[in-house]
Structures are given as structure tokens and as C-alpha cells.
């Protein structure tokens, strides 16, 4: 059948096109980013250039990537050198577009629409790649090995294996921070993975069905229909808003008898919800939630979660209250994974809260290991120590800076080389440094940061050979040591969204330019559609939005 | 924002339209059906007309419907009387379009696209309806009660409840028949519900990921990548074909190293696969499977399933062989659920294999209880008994029939009333009766039968009042007893599909007209799209097909 052959060929042609040109409008926000100074004195990419030998037929270096989240996936997507045999280890054989997880919990978007098999993403890359669906449980930096465990329970010694590495990229993300609150692990829902979202969705429908049974008392019905969100950050706020929309737009007409029992509460330990946003956004969100009858309780610290009650402590009065609930979502921030904590001990980072990496994303105190995303944080401690050290050991530097009113260290360096006569006072320098410091400290654990780091690191790997010969980075501090091979990582903040339900959203751009309302929600749709990793996920998510608009959200208990 | 308001209104308008006119081409097959004679002598719908009092303000009758499969849902969809308070009990709060389950297992169609919340289906009906997500575990026909258990584990006496009924409709379907083969319950997959399909899909991806681990031996890899389907009926054959397409079209390029390990085996105890189809279809399927390297083993009875081996007995040689496998799908037929078996004992149907209903779908030996779909079967035993009885007690009837060469019982009745002089011999009558008998015995446990029964029963309920006054059914056997209120149920077979993979299908229409190939697959797409229960599922499934055609099937481990 000729017609069928054409159909088949067309299908194959479409599917084999690796990166089709953008189907949707892509908005890019140009924005000011912080530029960091280079401090470390060893060459951070020493190991990379050696790997280039792969190009001329030598044995390729073994690059192991741990994790397929934003950091790991963006790194793999942008890696364009054939110098490595790449091994990817992750408990998920797919990448998840996490900003849409709250949408999955309520069926606005399908789970399968926001994931992409990692094998699909790395198909047709110049490097060899093998994926292993496993969890890394130990990193041995001395013998350069990672120890992994299959997520399937295989037994018979088939479960665990070790991988050697020449270069290691850690992009394992972080775990949920329960602040050791009793009962959270057992009873609360989280929202980090796709299956978290699916479980949460099922639990909500569970509650509706349970409350519809004839055996349930009035009091019990009230408890079951009380949904509590802990944490007033963007995820918690978005989830509360999405849940409200789901309940009022879709479930209310299917479960009319339960309409009056529904209650949504948002608990926040601090004084404001959305603390990282402009006051205008917080105020708007508060107002909208009041109108939507979402109960926002600030200054409310959760001290315990049991199977039916959540106990909160009022930070002002110290009063403890037990609130009956049906479902609780815990969304309060992140903490270091045990495997990373153990690794940090081994490399002399025992006391730290987060694993320290330098400005080139190399793990401090460990060769050939890079880290990015939520599992690591660029450390400026060294920088401050360094400056203090200079002032102590060379008081003349301080005086020199004061006297010459130099603008910054780069100017100082340029000045030392005699190509500038600009001036600065020491207070301005301090201020400049503290700004850098605060910006670095607040580099948020977001998809934006992780994916920019992944892209940056891949670019460094790609140009390692060229940059070794012709370095493009800043000057080293030692005299006549030349330049670093690369520019340090520099984060460009594009702005942040806070969807608030009812087709409204807040967006805050760099420079605190804020926009709130339906137009921002439209922008949200456009940006997220454009940011989706593959053409497939773009089309799927956009058609999910269309489906939701046309038919509402599904309430089947799947 | 005006634009937004319009958007919102449009969305609401689209979603509130209960049954939009058909979006897609609907094909209807007119076909010959069997017409049965009326035997039972009591009025099968005695209880229904009393319910009509609800129309004039009296207390409404309580109608309990068990099950939301094809039978129950079609009944609820077509019920158009306000005479009842309807209570629906089912462990699933949704209806599943089961013919597309094999497509869900391989991601050709999304699970959510083939389900529809039952609350959505019964919205805007003239009757009051309440849904309970629970499983009926006991039916008490004496006290007219059904005992139910929530599918959620609630404890504290909240788990179980009883419901009174005035009229009961049993549409609980059947369970999988394991023929008591050891290990099947524990190790095999089934394909009756949506979560079965999702589990099966995950298991296949599990196998691919497991076989990709470095710890797995060659032999183990072969075992893991061996997928076995037990049962050569339409479901088993379609699944084997779909799995082959998924593996060769999508997984082969993502897991290139596993391509040569893949093996699919289809085990059938009988001598042919697709035994209910014309020989042409069986031959074509065999040929296609041979080309696709799907190993078809007929005459192969499964005697045991362990966690890694499936043991088969060759029916010809008696030889027993243990075959290592990765995933096994068990799809060999159906059996009576325990709750139905217990109910059958209570109503004097203890010895039977399937619950007996009469020609009006009323359960034999039990008042006010109707049953339809896979859980019941129309019994013609009574009819044969009745004829035998007549011949014995009234030998003159036999002689009369022979002498007058009457065509059939209807003619006999008409003759008795003096309006016909047509003739028939007794052998023709016997032949006619045996044809009726064989047709009834072979009424297959399919969606087609169940949904026609649901529609028929709802129509009877709808016109109960009118037909009591002006009966439309056949004459009763007793003299001057008048007519039955309704025509008995008459099944109209529209034909049957057997998708064979590679965008090819076989279809067999009544009268054994057979068509095989790509055109039949096109017909399959058209018919199934048109048969989907709601507008929403139609659009979702069709867009899923489009997605699959464009992007392939997803292999994420969700």
C-alpha cells in the first residue's frame, strides 16, 4: 500500500530529526549577571585537556555523570566532544521538567508530557554514552570509583556495581529538608519527582472518594477534606493555588455534596509567603488567597505530623495546636543527600552545610570531580579568607588600594600591569565584594541555576583543548602565571514566576520589575512552553493545556 | 481583562455541554441478530413499573448498580427515567475503554485517555445518583441488601457498609481464569484494568533497564528479555503484536545493545491462535508473526509459573519444558467472581459455571435482580426443558406440529389464534431451535455484548410504565395471558477486530466476511475512535495516536 508507506516514511522522518527548529515562540530574557573573580590557583580543567587525546585515536577518558535532573541533563545535552566515554547513572531513566510538577498533581498536565527519556536526549551525540538506572550510594575519590545500586530489587549480587571514572560530574540534586520534624517522612507528601506528583494526585482523589462513603462521620469528613501545604515558597504557593482551581473548577461539580467541606491551609514558618519576591507580589498573593478562601497562616512552625493531625507552634505566642488534616504537602526547602555528606567528609568538607565548589564548578579539595545544581554551592569563603589574609600579611595592599582608589581587583591587576589609572576607595571595594558575596550566597536552588551550570560546564569540556593553548579566563594572582583557561561561571538571572491560580501569575524580573495578573500567566505559558527540553515535550504540554482548557482536569482514580 | 473573560466563558461553555454531537465519523454496522422466544412465565419487570410512582411524587425506588464496566456504564448512560434513586458501587470511579488496554501497555495511548470518571458520565441525568468507590463482597437477595467494602484501608469500622435495594443491577464483570495453575496469581501479569496495563508497561521498561546493568550475565540477559504471552485470543495476539512494534520501532534505537536479546513467545493451549476467527485470519496472523520473529507455540499448556521460569506441557507429546522468562502476560479467559459464586448458591444456581439470566436479563431464581455483561449468561436450558416437557406431557403437540408443518412456536401461537396457515416439519423446528441454542451459548464475553445489554436494560427501565399498559413483547405460553411487556434481548453482532501490529489488522464481519491489512487497521482506528464513550476520550485518544505517530512511544520509567 503506497499511501501507507508514505505515512510510515513521514513518521520516521519526523521522529529521527534530533533537534527540530523551535516550534513555539522562544522568549529570551537578557539580564545582568554577576561576574566573579578568579581565585583558585590550580588549573581546574587540568584533567579535561588530557581527555582530548581521544580525538586522535588514544584511549578515551571515562566521564561519569551522576544524575539526570536539570544540571546533569543540560550538561549532557550541551556536551559536544568525542573525547569521552560517558556513563550516566541515575535512579530515573528520564529527565523531568520540574517547574510543571505542581500542574501534574492536579492533572493540568500529564506526567508523561513533562518527562523525556535520557536515552532520547543523548541520542546522536558525538560521544559514546551508556545509561545505568541506579542510585549512587558511595563516591570514592581516592580510587576514583563510584558505587551504585540498581533501583530494582535484584538480589544475588546483581544489585550493586562499581564504576571507575577519570572525570566525575555530580548532579544528584538534594533531598527534601524535613528539619527532623517527627512524622514528616511517614505521613507527608513531597513534590520533587514525577511519582511524588502522581501519588499526591491519587491522595486528593482518595480523600474525595473516602469522604463520599456512607460510613464517614461529619467530623471525619471535615478532617479528610482539609488539605494542608507546609512552606510558603513558590512551589507551596503554586500547589495551593492549583489545588484550589482543581477543586473549584472541576471537582465541585462532580462531588457537589463535598463542596462546603473543602478547606485549604498554607502554613509558613516565616512572616511572609513568597519571601524571595517583591512585597507587591506577596501582598497580591495574600489578597488572592483570602478571596479564594485559602487560609494562610504565617509564623506557624510545624513541630509534628501524625497520621491525622499536624501540630503547629505559633512563633509569636509559643502556642501549640493540632490541626486535623486529610493530605499534607511538605515543601520547605532542601538538604544535602547522605551520599554527598559522606563524600564531603572524605574530602575535608565535613563541617559544611552544602558541598563547596569553586568558580569553575570543580569540587573543592578533590581533583577531577565537578558538581552542579542543588547538590553544590559556589564557595566564596576562600575569597574572603584570601582578602583578609592579604590585608593581614600585606597591610600595604590595603593602603595601596585606599591611596589609589582602585575600583576592584581586576582594576588592581590591570593597574599592576600598568594599563589603567582608575581610582577607588576601600569602602566601595568592600561594598562591591559584599554584593558579590550576597549574590553568590543567594544563588537559589533552582532549575535556572542548575541548567546554566550544566551548559557552562559542558562548554568548558567542549573547548578544553583550545582554551588550554589560548586561555580566555582572568589572570591568576601569582605573578606571571598567566590566565585561567576559562571564564568562571556567571549566573544570569532571568526572573522568577509565581503562578497564583485562576489564570493569574506574578513574575519578577531582575531589577525588581514586577508584573502580576493574567498577562503574566500568559507569559508563564509562553516561557515554560519554550523552555521545555525537547520538541516532543513542548507539543505534549501545550496540547495538555488545550485538553485541560477544553475538557477540564480528569478525576479518575488512576 | 476582557479577553480573558471570553476565554473563560468559552472554556466553560465547551465543558458543560454534556453530549456534544459526534466529532468523528461514526460507522455503524447493521447486522443480523438472533431473535429469541419468550419462555419465562412471570413478568420480569413487575418491580420496575411500581417504581414509576416516583414520577408523581411518591417515594422513589432505590436502584443499586454494581460495577462501572461496559455493562454498568452503558446502562447508566442510557437510563432516562427519574423514577429511581440510583446508587452505583464500583472499585473504580471511572469507566475504562478496555479494547484499548493493549495500546496503553505500550504507550500508544495514554491511560488517562481511555478512562472517564463515572460521575462525569452520569452528570445531568434525570435520576439522582450517588457513587461509592467500594467493592461489593456479598449480595443478600432475601433481605435485599448488598454489602460493600471501601477499596481504601480505613479501619475503625469505616471500611464496610451495607446498601438496601429495591432493584439491583449486577454488572461486575468476571475475574481472570488462572485454571488454578500454580504461580500465575503471584508472577503473571493480567490485562483487565488500567493499572494492569500500567504495571505491565513498567515491567517491560524494568526489564530493559535491568538488562542494561553491568552486573547481568549473558544468560540472565536472555532470560530478562524474553517476554511470554499466554493465550492466543484477540487480547494476547494484540498485545504480542503491540509489544513487537514498541520494541522494534522505539526501544531498539534507545537500547541498541539489547536488540538481539529480545524474544517474544506466544503460548496457546489449543491448536490455533485466534480460534474464533476465520482460518484466513489465523493463517495471516501466523505468517505475520513468523516474519516478526514472534514465536507462536500452539498445543502448549502452561502447568506452572515460577518467578523466573514458565513450565509448559506439550499436549501432543506430554513433554514438560521450563522456559526462562522476564515478563509473562496471562490472557486465557474469564471465570466467575467469588461474590457472584456465593450469590448463585443462595439463589439455587450452585452447580452452574456462569450465573444464569433469562431473555430479559433478569437473574433466574431471584426477583428484582438483573445482571449483564461477563458476569452472567442467558440460559436456554429452561427452553429446552420446556419443549421436552411439552412433548412428553402433550404428545399431541408434537403430532400437531408435524401434521401442520408449522414453522416455529410463534407460528404455532399465531396458528392457535387462527391468523396463519403456514406449515413446518418437526426437523426444521429442531434445527431452528439448535441454531438459537448455539448462538446463545456462544454469546462472547465482549464489550459489544455487555454494552448492548446495558442499553437494552436501560431502555426497558425507561419504558416500563408505558409497556405495562401496552406490552410489546411476544405472547406468553399460557392461554389468554397476553404479551410480555418487552421484546427479549437480542444481540446484534457487528464484527470483531484483531490488530496484528505494523499498522495491520484483521476484521471479521457477520457472515464471515473477512478483511485483513492496513485498510482494516484504518477501520479499526475509525471504529474505536467513534465508539469511545465521551467526546473527551475521543479527542484524547485520537491526539494520542497523533502524538505516537509523531514522536514515537515514551520509554520513561513512570
Amino acid at each position: 500500500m503506497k499511501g501507507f508507506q508514505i505515512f510510515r516514511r513521514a513518521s520516521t522522518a519526523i521522529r529521527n530529526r534530533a533537534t527540530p527548529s523551535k516550534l513555539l515562540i522562544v522568549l529570551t530574557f537578557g539580564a545582568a549577571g554577576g561576574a566573579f573573580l578568579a581565585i583558585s590557583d590550580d588549573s581546574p580543567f587540568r584533567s579535561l585537556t588530557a581527555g582530548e587525546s581521544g580525538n586522535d585515536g588514544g584511549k578515551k577518558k571515562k566521564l561519569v555523570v551522576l544524575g539526570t535532573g536539570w544540571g546533569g541533563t543540560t550538561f549532557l545535552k550541551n556536551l559536544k566532544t568525542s573525547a569521552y566515554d560517558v556513563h550516566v547513572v541515575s535512579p530515573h531513566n528520564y529527565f523531568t521538567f520540574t517547574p510543571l510538577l505542581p500542574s501534574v498533581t492536579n492533572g493540568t498536565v500529564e506526567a508523561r508530557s513533562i518527562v523525556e527519556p535520557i536515552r532520547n536526549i543523548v541520542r546522536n551525540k558525538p560521544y559514546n554514552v551508556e545509561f545505568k538506572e541506579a542510585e549512587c550510594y558511595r563516591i570514592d575519590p581516592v580510587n576514583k570509583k563510584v558505587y551504585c545500586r540498581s533501583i530494582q530489587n535484584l538480589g544475588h549480587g546483581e544489585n550493586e556495581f562499581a564504576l571507575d571514572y577519570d572525570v566525575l560530574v555530580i548532579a544528584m540534586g538534594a533531598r527534601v529538608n524535613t528539619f527532623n520534624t517527627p512524622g514528616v517522612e511517614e505521613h507527608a507528601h513531597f513534590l520533587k519527582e514525577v511519582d511524588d506528583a502522581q501519588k499526591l494526585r491519587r491522595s486528593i482523589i482518595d480523600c474525595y472518594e473516602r469522604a463520599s462513603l456512607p460510613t464517614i462521620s461529619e467530623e471525619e469528613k471535615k478532617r479528610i477534606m482539609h488539605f494542608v501545604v507546609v512552606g510558603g515558597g513558590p512551589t507551596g504557593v503554586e500547589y495551593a493555588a492549583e489545588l484550589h482551581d482543581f477543586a473549584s473548577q472541576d471537582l465541585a461539580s462532580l462531588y457537589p455534596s463535598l463542596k462546603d467541606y473543602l478547606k485549604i491551609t498554607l502554613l509558613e514558618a516565616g512572616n511572609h509567603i513568597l519571601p524571595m519576591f517583591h512585597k507587591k507580589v506577596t501582598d497580591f498573593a495574600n489578597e488572592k488567597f483570602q478571596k479564594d478562601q485559602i487560609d494562610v497562616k504565617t509564623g506557624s512552625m510545624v513541630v509534628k505530623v501524625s497520621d491525622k493531625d499536624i501540630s503547629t507552634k505559633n512563633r509569636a505566642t509559643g502556642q501549640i495546636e493540632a490541626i486535623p488534616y486529610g493530605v499534607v504537602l511538605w515543601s520547605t526547602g532542601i538538604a544535602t543527600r547522605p551520599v554527598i555528606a559522606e563524600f564531603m567528609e572524605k574530602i575535608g568538607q565535613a563541617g559544611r552545610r552544602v558541598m563547596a565548589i569553586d568558580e569553575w564548578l570543580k569540587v573543592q579539595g578533590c581533583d577531577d570531580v565537578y558538581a552542579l545544581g542543588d547538590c553544590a554551592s559556589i564557595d566564596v569563603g576562600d575569597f574572603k579568607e584570601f582578602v583578609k589574609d592579604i590585608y593581614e600579611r600585606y597591610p600595604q595592599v590595603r593602603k595601596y588600594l585606599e591611596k589609589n582608589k582602585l575600583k576592584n581587583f581586576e582594576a588592581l591587576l590591570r593597574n599592576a600591569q600598568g594599563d589603567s589609572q582608575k581610582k577607588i576607595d576601600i569602602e566601595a571595594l568592600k561594598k562591591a565584594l559584599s554584593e558579590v558575596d550576597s549574590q553568590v550566597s543567594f544563588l537559589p536552588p533552582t532549575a535556572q541555576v542548575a541548567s546554566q551550570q550544566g551548559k557552562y560546564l559542558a562548554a568548558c569540556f567542549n573547548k578544553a583543548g583550545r582554551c588550554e593553548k589560548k586561555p580566555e579566563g582572568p589572570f591568576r594572582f601569582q605573578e606571571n602565571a598567566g590566565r585561567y583557561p576559562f571564564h568562571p561561571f556567571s549566573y544570569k538571572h532571568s526572573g522568577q514566576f509565581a503562578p497564583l491560580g485562576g489564570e493569574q501569575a506574578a513574575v519578577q524580573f531582575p531589577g525588581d520589575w514586577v508584573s502580576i495578573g493574567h498577562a503574566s500567566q500568559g507569559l508563564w505559558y509562553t516561557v515554560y512552553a519554550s523552555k521545555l527540553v525537547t520538541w516532543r515535550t513542548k507539543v505534549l504540554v501545550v496540547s495538555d493545556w488545550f485538553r485541560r482548557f477544553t475538557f477540564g482536569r480528569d478525576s479518575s482514580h488512576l
Side-chain angles (χ1 to χ4, degrees), chain A:
Chain A
M1 286 200 55
K2 206 162 181 184
F4 178 72
Q5 294 303 334
I6 292 169
F7 168 95
R8 188 120 146 196
R9 263 202 293 276
S11 167
T12 312
I14 292 174
R15 286 162 51 194
N16 287 354
R17 232 178 124 191
T19 351
S21 52
K22 295 272 160 71
L23 193 75
L24 298 151
I25 306 150
V26 182
L27 287 188
T28 44
F29 301 102
F36 309 144
L37 293 168
I39 296 107
S40 311
D41 272 323
D42 59 330
S43 169
F45 289 85
R46 182 178 48 76
S47 56
L48 298 188
T49 45
E52 295 281 314
S53 63
N55 282 335
D56 46 57
K59 199 174 177 305
K60 290 192 182 190
K61 287 208 154 194
K62 200 165 167 185
L63 167 64
V64 173
V65 179
L66 303 177
T68 51
W70 279 99
T73 303
T74 322
F75 172 76
L76 288 167
K77 231 178 113 98
N78 287 281
L79 191 64
K80 288 189 179 92
T81 164
S82 60
Y84 299 95
D85 276 331
V86 181
H87 293 257
V88 183
V89 178
S90 168
H92 306 289
N93 78 354
Y94 52 85
F95 162 75
T96 306
F97 191 81
T98 48
L100 291 180
L101 277 180
S103 302
V104 171
T105 55
N106 296 321
T108 309
V109 166
E110 266 311 300
R112 211 165 285 282
S113 304
I114 66 162
V115 301
E116 185 68 41
I118 200 73
R119 287 189 173 78
N120 233 352
I121 294 174
V122 296
R123 203 154 55 147
N124 305 327
K125 291 288 173 201
Y127 51 88
N128 301 328
V129 61
E130 264 186 46
F131 174 82
K132 282 155 190 83
E133 193 191 47
E135 199 175 27
C136 167
Y137 66 93
R138 193 158 70 234
I139 301 166
D140 177 353
V142 178
N143 300 304
K144 295 188 135 192
K145 267 180 196 294
V146 290
Y147 292 87
C148 308
R149 189 186 290 133
S150 165
I151 61 157
Q152 300 180 39
N153 197 8
L154 304 177
H156 304 308
E158 289 172 349
N159 228 12
E160 300 184 354
F161 59 92
L163 279 179
D164 295 312
Y165 66 81
D166 294 311
V167 182
L168 179 67
V169 174
I170 306 176
M172 299 170 77
R175 66 177 175 90
V176 172
N177 197 348
T178 65
F179 302 101
N180 294 320
T181 312
V184 174
E185 290 278 2
E186 296 89 328
H187 304 296
H189 282 267
F190 302 118
L191 197 44
K192 280 195 73 72
E193 307 292 348
V194 172
D195 40 357
D196 292 340
Q198 290 175 314
K199 267 187 230 160
L200 185 52
R201 180 200 178 105
R202 268 194 292 269
S203 294
I204 297 291
I205 302 293
D206 267 353
C207 285
Y208 271 86
E209 288 300 345
R210 205 182 308 167
S212 304
L213 291 175
T215 50
I216 302 296
S217 68
E218 281 297 292
E219 200 189 345
E220 190 64 359
K221 233 182 237 189
K222 271 185 211 157
R223 177 185 76 75
I224 293 171
M225 292 297 292
H226 184 204
F227 305 127
V228 178
V229 179
V230 182
T235 306
V237 166
E238 181 176 355
Y239 179 71
E242 278 260 5
L243 180 59
H244 168 265
D245 286 359
F246 186 28
S248 61
Q249 293 170 11
D250 299 283
L251 298 175
S253 65
L254 295 184
Y255 302 79
S257 66
L258 296 177
K259 219 162 126 181
D260 299 332
Y261 291 92
L262 174 72
K263 194 178 163 195
I264 301 172
T265 302
L266 181 64
L267 300 175
E268 164 61 43
N271 296 325
H272 304 288
I273 59 169
L274 301 173
M276 61 292 286
F277 278 86
H278 194 277
K279 195 177 168 299
K280 271 198 273 186
V281 176
T282 310
D283 290 348
F284 181 87
N286 273 322
E287 217 170 282
K288 170 138 198 337
F289 277 13
Q290 203 169 2
K291 218 168 54 195
D292 290 347
Q293 295 182 293
I294 297 171
D295 195 8
V296 178
K297 286 190 178 164
T298 54
S300 214
M301 232 178 74
V302 175
V303 290
K304 198 184 132 191
V305 182
S306 81
D307 59 339
K308 292 188 175 174
D309 291 318
I310 179 163
S311 302
T312 61
K313 184 179 175 178
N314 186 311
R315 281 163 72 102
T317 63
Q319 205 187 333
I320 290 182
E321 191 190 359
I323 315 168
Y325 75 88
V327 168
V328 60
L329 169 66
W330 189 269
S331 140
T332 57
I334 55 167
T336 302
R337 286 186 191 279
V339 50
I340 301 288
E342 196 212 41
F343 173 62
M344 284 163 68
E345 272 183 38
K346 282 183 196 155
I347 56 169
Q349 294 198 15
R352 291 184 53 92
R353 205 174 51 83
V354 190
M355 179 160 63
I357 49 178
D358 68 17
E359 317 88 291
W360 291 274
L361 313 187
K362 195 182 84 64
V363 173
Q364 289 187 358
C366 187
D367 282 339
D368 304 324
V369 182
Y370 302 84
L372 61 168
D374 294 1
C375 67
S377 160
I378 295 171
D379 184 46
V380 290
D382 277 3
F383 179 71
K384 281 186 284 192
E385 285 303 310
F386 181 80
V387 172
K388 236 194 332 194
D389 200 44
I390 287 184
Y391 288 171
E392 233 178 80
R393 282 160 62 192
Y394 312 102
Q396 67 276 26
V397 170
R398 183 178 207 139
K399 283 190 185 140
Y400 179 82
L401 278 165
E402 276 183 34
K403 202 177 100 190
N404 289 286
K405 298 188 190 302
L406 282 169
K407 204 174 167 187
N408 57 24
F409 269 97
E410 273 193 333
L412 174 70
L413 292 167
R414 275 202 302 274
N415 196 49
Q417 295 182 328
D419 62 20
S420 166
Q421 293 297 331
K422 286 176 193 154
K423 304 188 175 175
I424 192 176
D425 64 59
I426 191 75
E427 289 312 310
L429 173 68
K430 275 186 184 162
K431 194 165 169 286
L433 294 184
S434 75
E435 269 168 16
V436 169
D437 186 26
S438 74
Q439 183 163 17
V440 174
S441 308
F442 282 99
L443 217 54
T446 61
Q448 250 182 86
V449 171
S451 69
Q452 287 184 24
Q453 289 180 337
K455 202 171 171 183
Y456 165 82
L457 195 63
C460 292
F461 276 57
N462 294 340
K463 63 191 174 185
R466 182 159 45 84
C467 287
E468 190 68 9
K469 285 170 209 140
K470 204 183 158 193
E472 60 180 32
F475 285 102
R476 293 167 199 267
F477 280 100
Q478 296 102 318
E479 223 170 311
N480 296 325
R483 286 169 174 270
Y484 285 93
F486 309 109
H487 290 291
F489 171 69
S490 150
Y491 172 57
K492 283 174 193 64
H493 185 62
S494 308
Q496 193 174 8
F497 281 103
L500 299 169
E503 300 296 335
Q504 297 191 71
V507 56
Q508 180 166 343
F509 296 107
D512 287 349
W513 183 60
V514 168
S515 159
I516 304 172
H518 297 301
S520 301
Q521 182 70 25
L523 188 65
W524 182 91
Y525 282 124
T526 319
V527 170
Y528 278 10
S530 75
K531 293 275 178 195
L532 279 157
V533 174
T534 59
W535 193 42
R536 176 186 152 273
T537 49
K538 279 182 221 281
V539 173
L540 262 53
V541 165
V542 171
S543 71
D544 280 348
W545 285 334
F546 166 77
R547 288 170 171 201
R548 200 272 298 168
F549 162 71
T550 316
F551 305 109
R553 302 169 185 89
D554 178 49
S555 63
S556 303
H557 194 189
L558 292 189

